[in-house]
Amino acid sequence: MQKLMGIIKKIGAKMILGKKDQIITALNAKLDLPFLNEKDEKELLEGIWETIEEVVGEAIQLTDKK
């Protein structure tokens, strides 16, 4: 059962993380930082996205070890 849960978590993470472009575009449309233009906001969000990918991967690995 543990293996099945681990696989489901990985599939879910891949499904969400696989929509990077759509999520970044949606976030960028909602984000308005007056000191950044749209291109800079997108770069900032992409940097944050890389961190999110790492953290999600680490969280999955941690729960797999339990």
Side-chain angles (χ1 to χ4, degrees):
M1 188 64 155
Q2 287 284 22
K3 276 194 168 195
L4 179 60
M5 290 305 295
I7 292 169
I8 291 171
K9 288 177 190 175
K10 288 177 185 176
I11 290 171
K14 284 182 182 181
M15 287 175 62
I16 292 169
L17 296 176
K19 297 185 182 253
K20 174 186 175 186
D21 292 335
Q22 293 168 319
I23 294 171
I24 294 286
T25 300
L27 286 171
N28 197 12
K30 295 182 184 293
L31 183 68
D32 184 27
L33 299 174
F35 53 90
L36 296 176
N37 62 31
E38 288 298 309
K39 181 182 173 189
D40 292 337
E41 287 176 354
K42 183 178 179 187
E43 286 181 29
L44 174 66
L45 290 169
E46 287 177 346
I48 293 169
W49 187 264
E50 289 177 21
T51 305
I52 290 170
E53 286 179 330
E54 288 178 32
V55 170
V56 168
E58 290 172 5
I60 288 172
Q61 288 177 353
L62 286 175
T63 58
D64 285 348
K65 291 180 182 178
K66 289 182 178 180

